[in-house]
Amino acid sequence: GELYLAAGAHAEAVAVYRTAVAQYPLNGATYGGLATALLAIGDPTSAMDAASRAVALEPHQLSWDTILRRAKE
């Protein structure tokens, strides 16, 4: 997912992260990546949901809070 994001292939990143979330539903990083990709394609509502899940799973990871704030803007 990160490679797709870096390359600007945001829709592909969303697809990869959705697969990762399905396979690893307790991994906050997968939800954080999905949130970032969803923001990049202009879907802040879904990004907020994914970021909220990332925060719930990994509350110590401050970057998820940052993504959540960006999604709420």
mmCIF file of all heavy atoms in Angstrom, residues 11-64:
data_model
loop_
_atom_site.group_PDB
_atom_site.id
_atom_site.type_symbol
_atom_site.label_atom_id
_atom_site.label_comp_id
_atom_site.label_asym_id
_atom_site.label_seq_id
_atom_site.Cartn_x
_atom_site.Cartn_y
_atom_site.Cartn_z
ATOM 1 N N ALA A 11 -5.959 4.760 -5.729
ATOM 2 C CA ALA A 11 -7.018 3.750 -5.788
ATOM 3 C C ALA A 11 -6.448 2.349 -5.561
ATOM 4 O O ALA A 11 -7.058 1.525 -4.873
ATOM 5 C CB ALA A 11 -7.754 3.822 -7.121
ATOM 6 N N GLU A 12 -5.286 2.103 -6.118
ATOM 7 C CA GLU A 12 -4.636 0.803 -5.915
ATOM 8 C C GLU A 12 -4.248 0.630 -4.453
ATOM 9 O O GLU A 12 -4.363 -0.466 -3.901
ATOM 10 C CB GLU A 12 -3.409 0.668 -6.819
ATOM 11 C CG GLU A 12 -3.728 0.530 -8.296
ATOM 12 C CD GLU A 12 -3.984 1.870 -9.003
ATOM 13 O OE1 GLU A 12 -4.032 2.930 -8.327
ATOM 14 O OE2 GLU A 12 -4.160 1.844 -10.237
ATOM 15 N N ALA A 13 -3.791 1.708 -3.835
ATOM 16 C CA ALA A 13 -3.440 1.647 -2.409
ATOM 17 C C ALA A 13 -4.662 1.306 -1.570
ATOM 18 O O ALA A 13 -4.583 0.486 -0.646
ATOM 19 C CB ALA A 13 -2.833 2.974 -1.955
ATOM 20 N N VAL A 14 -5.796 1.905 -1.893
ATOM 21 C CA VAL A 14 -7.033 1.586 -1.162
ATOM 22 C C VAL A 14 -7.340 0.103 -1.281
ATOM 23 O O VAL A 14 -7.652 -0.559 -0.284
ATOM 24 C CB VAL A 14 -8.224 2.435 -1.675
ATOM 25 C CG1 VAL A 14 -9.547 1.916 -1.110
ATOM 26 C CG2 VAL A 14 -8.040 3.898 -1.309
ATOM 27 N N ALA A 15 -7.240 -0.438 -2.484
ATOM 28 C CA ALA A 15 -7.536 -1.864 -2.693
ATOM 29 C C ALA A 15 -6.609 -2.750 -1.871
ATOM 30 O O ALA A 15 -7.053 -3.714 -1.235
ATOM 31 C CB ALA A 15 -7.441 -2.202 -4.180
ATOM 32 N N VAL A 16 -5.323 -2.425 -1.868
ATOM 33 C CA VAL A 16 -4.344 -3.214 -1.118
ATOM 34 C C VAL A 16 -4.638 -3.136 0.381
ATOM 35 O O VAL A 16 -4.636 -4.147 1.082
ATOM 36 C CB VAL A 16 -2.906 -2.758 -1.430
ATOM 37 C CG1 VAL A 16 -1.907 -3.358 -0.452
ATOM 38 C CG2 VAL A 16 -2.541 -3.121 -2.857
ATOM 39 N N TYR A 17 -4.908 -1.928 0.863
ATOM 40 C CA TYR A 17 -5.179 -1.776 2.295
ATOM 41 C C TYR A 17 -6.494 -2.436 2.700
ATOM 42 O O TYR A 17 -6.604 -2.983 3.786
ATOM 43 C CB TYR A 17 -5.166 -0.305 2.705
ATOM 44 C CG TYR A 17 -3.774 0.231 2.892
ATOM 45 C CD1 TYR A 17 -3.304 1.284 2.129
ATOM 46 C CD2 TYR A 17 -2.911 -0.316 3.840
ATOM 47 C CE1 TYR A 17 -2.025 1.786 2.298
ATOM 48 C CE2 TYR A 17 -1.626 0.170 4.016
ATOM 49 C CZ TYR A 17 -1.190 1.221 3.237
ATOM 50 O OH TYR A 17 0.081 1.701 3.416
ATOM 51 N N ARG A 18 -7.495 -2.419 1.835
ATOM 52 C CA ARG A 18 -8.754 -3.120 2.160
ATOM 53 C C ARG A 18 -8.504 -4.627 2.304
ATOM 54 O O ARG A 18 -9.060 -5.262 3.195
ATOM 55 C CB ARG A 18 -9.810 -2.842 1.109
ATOM 56 C CG ARG A 18 -10.385 -1.446 1.194
ATOM 57 C CD ARG A 18 -11.668 -1.329 0.382
ATOM 58 N NE ARG A 18 -12.126 0.029 0.250
ATOM 59 C CZ ARG A 18 -12.776 0.721 1.163
ATOM 60 N NH1 ARG A 18 -13.039 0.172 2.326
ATOM 61 N NH2 ARG A 18 -13.171 1.956 0.924
ATOM 62 N N THR A 19 -7.667 -5.165 1.448
ATOM 63 C CA THR A 19 -7.311 -6.581 1.554
ATOM 64 C C THR A 19 -6.561 -6.837 2.852
ATOM 65 O O THR A 19 -6.837 -7.803 3.558
ATOM 66 C CB THR A 19 -6.456 -7.016 0.350
ATOM 67 O OG1 THR A 19 -7.229 -6.828 -0.843
ATOM 68 C CG2 THR A 19 -6.026 -8.459 0.459
ATOM 69 N N ALA A 20 -5.632 -5.948 3.191
ATOM 70 C CA ALA A 20 -4.850 -6.099 4.422
ATOM 71 C C ALA A 20 -5.747 -6.025 5.657
ATOM 72 O O ALA A 20 -5.576 -6.795 6.605
ATOM 73 C CB ALA A 20 -3.754 -5.035 4.488
ATOM 74 N N VAL A 21 -6.707 -5.111 5.651
ATOM 75 C CA VAL A 21 -7.631 -4.973 6.775
ATOM 76 C C VAL A 21 -8.457 -6.251 6.940
ATOM 77 O O VAL A 21 -8.694 -6.701 8.060
ATOM 78 C CB VAL A 21 -8.534 -3.732 6.578
ATOM 79 C CG1 VAL A 21 -9.760 -3.763 7.461
ATOM 80 C CG2 VAL A 21 -7.737 -2.463 6.831
ATOM 81 N N ALA A 22 -8.871 -6.824 5.828
ATOM 82 C CA ALA A 22 -9.647 -8.071 5.890
ATOM 83 C C ALA A 22 -8.808 -9.217 6.455
ATOM 84 O O ALA A 22 -9.308 -10.050 7.210
ATOM 85 C CB ALA A 22 -10.173 -8.429 4.506
ATOM 86 N N GLN A 23 -7.530 -9.238 6.114
ATOM 87 C CA GLN A 23 -6.651 -10.311 6.568
ATOM 88 C C GLN A 23 -6.126 -10.088 7.979
ATOM 89 O O GLN A 23 -5.868 -11.045 8.709
ATOM 90 C CB GLN A 23 -5.468 -10.471 5.613
ATOM 91 C CG GLN A 23 -5.866 -11.008 4.263
ATOM 92 C CD GLN A 23 -4.696 -11.078 3.293
ATOM 93 O OE1 GLN A 23 -3.617 -10.557 3.535
ATOM 94 N NE2 GLN A 23 -4.920 -11.729 2.166
ATOM 95 N N TYR A 24 -5.941 -8.829 8.363
ATOM 96 C CA TYR A 24 -5.356 -8.485 9.662
ATOM 97 C C TYR A 24 -6.222 -7.438 10.365
ATOM 98 O O TYR A 24 -5.813 -6.280 10.523
ATOM 99 C CB TYR A 24 -3.921 -7.960 9.482
ATOM 100 C CG TYR A 24 -3.046 -8.902 8.710
ATOM 101 C CD1 TYR A 24 -2.771 -8.692 7.369
ATOM 102 C CD2 TYR A 24 -2.514 -10.037 9.331
ATOM 103 C CE1 TYR A 24 -1.977 -9.574 6.647
ATOM 104 C CE2 TYR A 24 -1.726 -10.924 8.619
ATOM 105 C CZ TYR A 24 -1.461 -10.684 7.272
ATOM 106 O OH TYR A 24 -0.686 -11.566 6.569
ATOM 107 N N PRO A 25 -7.412 -7.823 10.795
ATOM 108 C CA PRO A 25 -8.354 -6.849 11.352
ATOM 109 C C PRO A 25 -7.953 -6.240 12.694
ATOM 110 O O PRO A 25 -8.576 -5.274 13.123
ATOM 111 C CB PRO A 25 -9.645 -7.654 11.477
ATOM 112 C CG PRO A 25 -9.201 -9.070 11.599
ATOM 113 C CD PRO A 25 -7.956 -9.173 10.761
ATOM 114 N N LEU A 26 -6.927 -6.754 13.315
ATOM 115 C CA LEU A 26 -6.483 -6.207 14.596
ATOM 116 C C LEU A 26 -5.190 -5.407 14.478
ATOM 117 O O LEU A 26 -4.571 -5.070 15.477
ATOM 118 C CB LEU A 26 -6.315 -7.331 15.630
ATOM 119 C CG LEU A 26 -7.586 -8.118 15.942
ATOM 120 C CD1 LEU A 26 -7.297 -9.230 16.952
ATOM 121 C CD2 LEU A 26 -8.685 -7.196 16.459
ATOM 122 N N ASN A 27 -4.800 -5.091 13.253
ATOM 123 C CA ASN A 27 -3.571 -4.344 12.999
ATOM 124 C C ASN A 27 -3.920 -2.887 12.714
ATOM 125 O O ASN A 27 -4.481 -2.559 11.659
ATOM 126 C CB ASN A 27 -2.825 -4.969 11.822
ATOM 127 C CG ASN A 27 -1.487 -4.338 11.576
ATOM 128 O OD1 ASN A 27 -1.323 -3.132 11.682
ATOM 129 N ND2 ASN A 27 -0.517 -5.158 11.231
ATOM 130 N N GLY A 28 -3.587 -2.022 13.641
ATOM 131 C CA GLY A 28 -3.886 -0.609 13.476
ATOM 132 C C GLY A 28 -3.205 0.023 12.286
ATOM 133 O O GLY A 28 -3.752 0.935 11.660
ATOM 134 N N ALA A 29 -2.022 -0.441 11.947
ATOM 135 C CA ALA A 29 -1.284 0.137 10.817
ATOM 136 C C ALA A 29 -2.027 -0.060 9.502
ATOM 137 O O ALA A 29 -1.987 0.812 8.630
ATOM 138 C CB ALA A 29 0.111 -0.464 10.733
ATOM 139 N N THR A 30 -2.717 -1.177 9.357
ATOM 140 C CA THR A 30 -3.467 -1.393 8.116
ATOM 141 C C THR A 30 -4.623 -0.395 8.011
ATOM 142 O O THR A 30 -4.883 0.138 6.934
ATOM 143 C CB THR A 30 -3.989 -2.835 8.007
ATOM 144 O OG1 THR A 30 -4.822 -3.129 9.124
ATOM 145 C CG2 THR A 30 -2.858 -3.836 7.924
ATOM 146 N N TYR A 31 -5.276 -0.124 9.136
ATOM 147 C CA TYR A 31 -6.353 0.867 9.128
ATOM 148 C C TYR A 31 -5.799 2.277 8.910
ATOM 149 O O TYR A 31 -6.420 3.083 8.223
ATOM 150 C CB TYR A 31 -7.153 0.812 10.424
ATOM 151 C CG TYR A 31 -8.086 -0.364 10.487
ATOM 152 C CD1 TYR A 31 -7.717 -1.531 11.139
ATOM 153 C CD2 TYR A 31 -9.333 -0.316 9.887
ATOM 154 C CE1 TYR A 31 -8.562 -2.615 11.201
ATOM 155 C CE2 TYR A 31 -10.192 -1.405 9.938
ATOM 156 C CZ TYR A 31 -9.801 -2.547 10.600
ATOM 157 O OH TYR A 31 -10.654 -3.626 10.651
ATOM 158 N N GLY A 32 -4.647 2.563 9.484
ATOM 159 C CA GLY A 32 -4.023 3.859 9.271
ATOM 160 C C GLY A 32 -3.645 4.073 7.817
ATOM 161 O O GLY A 32 -3.850 5.151 7.258
ATOM 162 N N GLY A 33 -3.093 3.051 7.210
ATOM 163 C CA GLY A 33 -2.760 3.129 5.785
ATOM 164 C C GLY A 33 -3.999 3.295 4.929
ATOM 165 O O GLY A 33 -4.016 4.089 3.977
ATOM 166 N N LEU A 34 -5.044 2.557 5.277
ATOM 167 C CA LEU A 34 -6.298 2.675 4.542
ATOM 168 C C LEU A 34 -6.855 4.089 4.676
ATOM 169 O O LEU A 34 -7.297 4.688 3.688
ATOM 170 C CB LEU A 34 -7.307 1.648 5.048
ATOM 171 C CG LEU A 34 -8.701 1.699 4.416
ATOM 172 C CD1 LEU A 34 -8.633 1.504 2.910
ATOM 173 C CD2 LEU A 34 -9.615 0.657 5.066
ATOM 174 N N ALA A 35 -6.808 4.639 5.871
ATOM 175 C CA ALA A 35 -7.302 6.002 6.087
ATOM 176 C C ALA A 35 -6.532 7.006 5.228
ATOM 177 O O ALA A 35 -7.133 7.887 4.607
ATOM 178 C CB ALA A 35 -7.204 6.367 7.565
ATOM 179 N N THR A 36 -5.230 6.861 5.182
ATOM 180 C CA THR A 36 -4.399 7.764 4.375
ATOM 181 C C THR A 36 -4.770 7.656 2.895
ATOM 182 O O THR A 36 -4.912 8.670 2.200
ATOM 183 C CB THR A 36 -2.909 7.428 4.573
ATOM 184 O OG1 THR A 36 -2.595 7.578 5.959
ATOM 185 C CG2 THR A 36 -2.014 8.337 3.759
ATOM 186 N N ALA A 37 -4.928 6.431 2.421
ATOM 187 C CA ALA A 37 -5.279 6.222 1.017
ATOM 188 C C ALA A 37 -6.674 6.760 0.712
ATOM 189 O O ALA A 37 -6.902 7.354 -0.351
ATOM 190 C CB ALA A 37 -5.186 4.733 0.680
ATOM 191 N N LEU A 38 -7.599 6.571 1.629
ATOM 192 C CA LEU A 38 -8.960 7.071 1.418
ATOM 193 C C LEU A 38 -8.986 8.600 1.367
ATOM 194 O O LEU A 38 -9.720 9.186 0.561
ATOM 195 C CB LEU A 38 -9.891 6.548 2.507
ATOM 196 C CG LEU A 38 -10.226 5.057 2.402
ATOM 197 C CD1 LEU A 38 -10.832 4.553 3.700
ATOM 198 C CD2 LEU A 38 -11.161 4.796 1.217
ATOM 199 N N LEU A 39 -8.183 9.239 2.201
ATOM 200 C CA LEU A 39 -8.080 10.695 2.126
ATOM 201 C C LEU A 39 -7.541 11.123 0.767
ATOM 202 O O LEU A 39 -7.995 12.105 0.183
ATOM 203 C CB LEU A 39 -7.167 11.233 3.231
ATOM 204 C CG LEU A 39 -7.785 11.419 4.598
ATOM 205 C CD1 LEU A 39 -6.734 11.893 5.595
ATOM 206 C CD2 LEU A 39 -8.936 12.414 4.545
ATOM 207 N N ALA A 40 -6.567 10.364 0.272
ATOM 208 C CA ALA A 40 -5.937 10.715 -1.000
ATOM 209 C C ALA A 40 -6.914 10.615 -2.171
ATOM 210 O O ALA A 40 -6.766 11.349 -3.157
ATOM 211 C CB ALA A 40 -4.720 9.822 -1.251
ATOM 212 N N ILE A 41 -7.911 9.728 -2.080
ATOM 213 C CA ILE A 41 -8.895 9.626 -3.169
ATOM 214 C C ILE A 41 -10.110 10.515 -2.920
ATOM 215 O O ILE A 41 -11.055 10.509 -3.696
ATOM 216 C CB ILE A 41 -9.335 8.170 -3.444
ATOM 217 C CG1 ILE A 41 -10.081 7.571 -2.259
ATOM 218 C CG2 ILE A 41 -8.170 7.313 -3.890
ATOM 219 C CD1 ILE A 41 -10.838 6.289 -2.601
ATOM 220 N N GLY A 42 -10.083 11.266 -1.813
ATOM 221 C CA GLY A 42 -11.164 12.197 -1.542
ATOM 222 C C GLY A 42 -12.377 11.600 -0.868
ATOM 223 O O GLY A 42 -13.501 12.031 -1.120
ATOM 224 N N ASP A 43 -12.162 10.618 -0.001
ATOM 225 C CA ASP A 43 -13.260 9.994 0.745
ATOM 226 C C ASP A 43 -13.038 10.193 2.248
ATOM 227 O O ASP A 43 -12.664 9.256 2.954
ATOM 228 C CB ASP A 43 -13.337 8.507 0.393
ATOM 229 C CG ASP A 43 -14.545 7.805 0.987
ATOM 230 O OD1 ASP A 43 -15.272 8.419 1.799
ATOM 231 O OD2 ASP A 43 -14.765 6.625 0.650
ATOM 232 N N PRO A 44 -13.260 11.416 2.740
ATOM 233 C CA PRO A 44 -12.970 11.692 4.149
ATOM 234 C C PRO A 44 -13.857 10.942 5.135
ATOM 235 O O PRO A 44 -13.429 10.625 6.236
ATOM 236 C CB PRO A 44 -13.160 13.203 4.269
ATOM 237 C CG PRO A 44 -14.069 13.563 3.153
ATOM 238 C CD PRO A 44 -13.754 12.596 2.039
ATOM 239 N N THR A 45 -15.085 10.620 4.745
ATOM 240 C CA THR A 45 -15.980 9.897 5.651
ATOM 241 C C THR A 45 -15.437 8.502 5.934
ATOM 242 O O THR A 45 -15.343 8.087 7.093
ATOM 243 C CB THR A 45 -17.398 9.820 5.063
ATOM 244 O OG1 THR A 45 -17.872 11.149 4.844
ATOM 245 C CG2 THR A 45 -18.345 9.092 6.002
ATOM 246 N N SER A 46 -15.075 7.779 4.892
ATOM 247 C CA SER A 46 -14.500 6.440 5.079
ATOM 248 C C SER A 46 -13.143 6.524 5.750
ATOM 249 O O SER A 46 -12.783 5.653 6.551
ATOM 250 C CB SER A 46 -14.385 5.710 3.736
ATOM 251 O OG SER A 46 -15.669 5.492 3.185
ATOM 252 N N ALA A 47 -12.385 7.572 5.424
ATOM 253 C CA ALA A 47 -11.073 7.766 6.052
ATOM 254 C C ALA A 47 -11.225 7.965 7.554
ATOM 255 O O ALA A 47 -10.442 7.424 8.343
ATOM 256 C CB ALA A 47 -10.352 8.956 5.429
ATOM 257 N N MET A 48 -12.242 8.702 7.958
ATOM 258 C CA MET A 48 -12.476 8.929 9.377
ATOM 259 C C MET A 48 -12.814 7.619 10.085
ATOM 260 O O MET A 48 -12.320 7.352 11.179
ATOM 261 C CB MET A 48 -13.601 9.945 9.579
ATOM 262 C CG MET A 48 -13.714 10.433 10.996
ATOM 263 S SD MET A 48 -14.699 11.928 11.223
ATOM 264 C CE MET A 48 -16.119 11.625 10.210
ATOM 265 N N ASP A 49 -13.601 6.779 9.447
ATOM 266 C CA ASP A 49 -13.923 5.478 10.037
ATOM 267 C C ASP A 49 -12.667 4.617 10.203
ATOM 268 O O ASP A 49 -12.453 4.014 11.251
ATOM 269 C CB ASP A 49 -14.936 4.725 9.169
ATOM 270 C CG ASP A 49 -16.310 5.369 9.176
ATOM 271 O OD1 ASP A 49 -16.611 6.155 10.101
ATOM 272 O OD2 ASP A 49 -17.090 5.082 8.245
ATOM 273 N N ALA A 50 -11.845 4.571 9.158
ATOM 274 C CA ALA A 50 -10.618 3.767 9.214
ATOM 275 C C ALA A 50 -9.647 4.323 10.246
ATOM 276 O O ALA A 50 -9.033 3.569 11.008
ATOM 277 C CB ALA A 50 -9.963 3.699 7.833
ATOM 278 N N ALA A 51 -9.502 5.643 10.291
ATOM 279 C CA ALA A 51 -8.594 6.265 11.263
ATOM 280 C C ALA A 51 -9.082 6.047 12.687
ATOM 281 O O ALA A 51 -8.280 5.803 13.595
ATOM 282 C CB ALA A 51 -8.442 7.751 10.972
ATOM 283 N N SER A 52 -10.390 6.102 12.888
ATOM 284 C CA SER A 52 -10.951 5.839 14.225
ATOM 285 C C SER A 52 -10.631 4.421 14.671
ATOM 286 O O SER A 52 -10.292 4.183 15.832
ATOM 287 C CB SER A 52 -12.464 6.051 14.220
ATOM 288 O OG SER A 52 -12.772 7.390 13.994
ATOM 289 N N ARG A 53 -10.714 3.491 13.753
ATOM 290 C CA ARG A 53 -10.382 2.089 14.076
ATOM 291 C C ARG A 53 -8.889 1.966 14.392
ATOM 292 O O ARG A 53 -8.502 1.252 15.321
ATOM 293 C CB ARG A 53 -10.769 1.184 12.916
ATOM 294 C CG ARG A 53 -10.553 -0.261 13.168
ATOM 295 C CD ARG A 53 -11.574 -0.816 14.144
ATOM 296 N NE ARG A 53 -11.361 -2.246 14.260
ATOM 297 C CZ ARG A 53 -11.397 -2.910 15.398
ATOM 298 N NH1 ARG A 53 -11.687 -2.289 16.513
ATOM 299 N NH2 ARG A 53 -11.182 -4.192 15.433
ATOM 300 N N ALA A 54 -8.048 2.655 13.634
ATOM 301 C CA ALA A 54 -6.607 2.623 13.896
ATOM 302 C C ALA A 54 -6.301 3.160 15.289
ATOM 303 O O ALA A 54 -5.509 2.562 16.026
ATOM 304 C CB ALA A 54 -5.852 3.431 12.838
ATOM 305 N N VAL A 55 -6.941 4.263 15.648
ATOM 306 C CA VAL A 55 -6.731 4.854 16.982
ATOM 307 C C VAL A 55 -7.194 3.889 18.069
ATOM 308 O O VAL A 55 -6.525 3.715 19.094
ATOM 309 C CB VAL A 55 -7.459 6.210 17.107
ATOM 310 C CG1 VAL A 55 -7.476 6.699 18.547
ATOM 311 C CG2 VAL A 55 -6.803 7.244 16.202
ATOM 312 N N ALA A 56 -8.331 3.239 17.850
ATOM 313 C CA ALA A 56 -8.846 2.288 18.848
ATOM 314 C C ALA A 56 -7.890 1.110 19.049
ATOM 315 O O ALA A 56 -7.718 0.632 20.173
ATOM 316 C CB ALA A 56 -10.223 1.780 18.424
ATOM 317 N N LEU A 57 -7.273 0.667 17.969
ATOM 318 C CA LEU A 57 -6.364 -0.480 18.051
ATOM 319 C C LEU A 57 -4.987 -0.103 18.569
ATOM 320 O O LEU A 57 -4.336 -0.907 19.246
ATOM 321 C CB LEU A 57 -6.227 -1.139 16.673
ATOM 322 C CG LEU A 57 -7.460 -1.883 16.184
ATOM 323 C CD1 LEU A 57 -7.317 -2.245 14.717
ATOM 324 C CD2 LEU A 57 -7.693 -3.142 17.022
ATOM 325 N N GLU A 58 -4.530 1.082 18.221
ATOM 326 C CA GLU A 58 -3.182 1.521 18.601
ATOM 327 C C GLU A 58 -3.232 2.959 19.108
ATOM 328 O O GLU A 58 -2.763 3.885 18.421
ATOM 329 C CB GLU A 58 -2.225 1.400 17.415
ATOM 330 C CG GLU A 58 -2.011 -0.020 16.948
ATOM 331 C CD GLU A 58 -1.001 -0.127 15.813
ATOM 332 O OE1 GLU A 58 -0.475 0.893 15.354
ATOM 333 O OE2 GLU A 58 -0.750 -1.262 15.390
ATOM 334 N N PRO A 59 -3.790 3.183 20.298
ATOM 335 C CA PRO A 59 -3.954 4.549 20.801
ATOM 336 C C PRO A 59 -2.643 5.292 21.041
ATOM 337 O O PRO A 59 -2.631 6.520 21.077
ATOM 338 C CB PRO A 59 -4.731 4.356 22.103
ATOM 339 C CG PRO A 59 -4.533 2.939 22.485
ATOM 340 C CD PRO A 59 -4.299 2.180 21.215
ATOM 341 N N HIS A 60 -1.548 4.563 21.172
ATOM 342 C CA HIS A 60 -0.243 5.181 21.395
ATOM 343 C C HIS A 60 0.373 5.752 20.119
ATOM 344 O O HIS A 60 1.321 6.517 20.173
ATOM 345 C CB HIS A 60 0.714 4.156 22.010
ATOM 346 C CG HIS A 60 0.932 2.978 21.108
ATOM 347 N ND1 HIS A 60 0.014 1.947 21.027
ATOM 348 C CD2 HIS A 60 1.910 2.686 20.233
ATOM 349 C CE1 HIS A 60 0.447 1.059 20.135
ATOM 350 N NE2 HIS A 60 1.593 1.484 19.647
ATOM 351 N N GLN A 61 -0.170 5.384 18.962
ATOM 352 C CA GLN A 61 0.386 5.815 17.676
ATOM 353 C C GLN A 61 -0.201 7.175 17.309
ATOM 354 O O GLN A 61 -1.337 7.278 16.855
ATOM 355 C CB GLN A 61 0.071 4.771 16.610
ATOM 356 C CG GLN A 61 0.596 5.079 15.234
ATOM 357 C CD GLN A 61 2.092 5.214 15.184
ATOM 358 O OE1 GLN A 61 2.599 6.337 15.251
ATOM 359 N NE2 GLN A 61 2.796 4.123 15.083
ATOM 360 N N LEU A 62 0.557 8.223 17.516
ATOM 361 C CA LEU A 62 0.058 9.579 17.317
ATOM 362 C C LEU A 62 -0.281 9.900 15.866
ATOM 363 O O LEU A 62 -1.122 10.753 15.605
ATOM 364 C CB LEU A 62 1.070 10.591 17.850
ATOM 365 C CG LEU A 62 1.344 10.519 19.353
ATOM 366 C CD1 LEU A 62 2.400 11.545 19.752
ATOM 367 C CD2 LEU A 62 0.062 10.721 20.139
ATOM 368 N N SER A 63 0.334 9.221 14.932
ATOM 369 C CA SER A 63 0.057 9.526 13.525
ATOM 370 C C SER A 63 -1.388 9.213 13.158
ATOM 371 O O SER A 63 -1.963 9.864 12.290
ATOM 372 C CB SER A 63 1.022 8.801 12.597
ATOM 373 O OG SER A 63 0.931 7.409 12.778
ATOM 374 N N TRP A 64 -2.009 8.256 13.840
ATOM 375 C CA TRP A 64 -3.406 7.940 13.542
ATOM 376 C C TRP A 64 -4.308 9.100 13.971
ATOM 377 O O TRP A 64 -5.276 9.423 13.299
ATOM 378 C CB TRP A 64 -3.879 6.664 14.213
ATOM 379 C CG TRP A 64 -3.044 5.448 13.986
ATOM 380 C CD1 TRP A 64 -2.940 4.384 14.840
ATOM 381 C CD2 TRP A 64 -2.218 5.100 12.866
ATOM 382 N NE1 TRP A 64 -2.090 3.436 14.312
ATOM 383 C CE2 TRP A 64 -1.632 3.849 13.111
ATOM 384 C CE3 TRP A 64 -1.901 5.752 11.679
ATOM 385 C CZ2 TRP A 64 -0.766 3.230 12.207
ATOM 386 C CZ3 TRP A 64 -1.028 5.132 10.787
ATOM 387 C CH2 TRP A 64 -0.479 3.885 11.056
#
